[in-house]
Amino acid sequence: MKLYTSMGPNPAVVAMFLAEKGAEIPTEKVDLMAGENRQPPYVAKNPAGQLPCLELDDGSHLAEITAICEYLDEKLPGPSLIGATPEERAATRMWVRRIDLNICEPMANGFRFAEGLPLFQSRLRTIPHAAGDLKELAQEKITWLDGLMTGKTWVAGERFTLADILLFCFLQFGASVGQPINPDNTNIVAWLERVKARVAEKASA
């Protein structure tokens, strides 16, 4: 396998997933700033022109971070970050979809349509007047999730899963582009510190 990767929260999700699995695979950097991901030969691998993209051993390619992470979860040894039972896997996928649609997408588009507009306006359809509302929507859903985190260690309960990785990488990204967490969301703030401690522990191992 080989992972085509770059900067940004989506590549960060797969990188963190691999770190949690204790695995390393060959990688190749794609220059996102120069638009290499929108040009051949990369678009032959991923016609969507997005990163990351996983090249499988048979030469085929897999895109979309949830699909990549689920594939790696099944292929690589170690405890599953999706779930060991149908019930656990379904719960993880439910939380991943909620976080992706309600937090990650509006947060990312809020950035693309505002601070990231000079980079993205020539690459995709941008809606600058929607940026503020998208950012507010992401924050509203973070507050909604905060209320559901009461008494839980991780998003799916006591299991650290892909849902935690996805949320962590996008909240870190948001904080870096002017969309920080409201400190009133105390459950999310405490959860974030637990994830940071986990990341630091694995980095020092």
Side-chain angles (χ1 to χ4, degrees):
M1 291 187 287
K2 180 165 73 171
L3 181 67
Y4 293 87
T5 189
S6 188
M7 61 190 297
N10 286 312
V13 168
V14 177
M16 185 173 173
F17 193 92
L18 283 167
E20 281 286 334
K21 295 290 285 186
E24 293 184 10
I25 61 175
T27 62
E28 182 175 321
K29 293 284 188 180
V30 178
D31 192 342
L32 178 68
M33 298 300 290
E36 186 181 354
N37 56 308
R38 301 280 173 170
Q39 304 168 13
Y42 182 76
V43 289
K45 300 175 177 63
N46 182 8
Q50 298 169 332
L51 289 154
C53 176
L54 183 66
E55 185 172 277
L56 308 187
D57 292 338
D58 64 0
S60 62
H61 295 88
L62 187 63
E64 308 301 336
I65 55 175
T66 52
I68 291 172
C69 288
E70 290 213 18
Y71 178 81
L72 292 173
D73 199 63
E74 293 187 22
K75 291 290 287 186
L76 298 174
S80 174
L81 293 167
I82 308 299
T85 66
E87 292 76 15
E88 288 184 353
R89 291 190 289 273
T92 300
R93 289 164 180 150
M94 174 183 71
W95 286 111
V96 165
R97 184 159 177 79
R98 285 172 170 172
I99 291 166
D100 198 11
L101 292 179
N102 294 315
I103 297 174
C104 302
E105 279 299 308
M107 178 180 284
N109 282 327
F111 164 72
R112 294 183 186 115
F113 301 165
E115 295 86 353
L117 188 63
L119 177 63
F120 288 100
Q121 62 187 348
S122 63
R123 303 184 184 191
L124 50 82
R125 169 78 169 175
T126 56
I127 313 172
H129 65 268
D133 286 337
L134 287 166
K135 292 177 183 181
E136 287 187 21
L137 178 59
Q139 292 300 318
E140 288 173 3
K141 290 302 183 179
I142 291 169
T143 298
W144 170 78
L145 181 60
D146 183 80
L148 299 177
M149 287 289 292
T150 301
K152 295 199 298 185
T153 303
W154 308 115
V155 172
E158 295 307 306
R159 296 181 299 119
F160 186 86
T161 69
L162 174 59
D164 297 284
I165 294 172
L166 180 65
L167 182 63
F168 177 76
C169 291
F170 271 83
L171 291 186
Q172 292 289 89
F173 166 74
S176 73
V177 294
Q179 299 182 57
I181 303 169
N182 183 339
D184 291 339
N185 293 321
T186 55
N187 289 324
I188 295 291
V189 170
W191 165 88
L192 188 61
E193 291 306 310
R194 288 194 292 274
V195 181
K196 288 179 178 178
R198 186 183 181 98
V199 171
E201 181 180 354
K202 288 188 174 292
S204 63

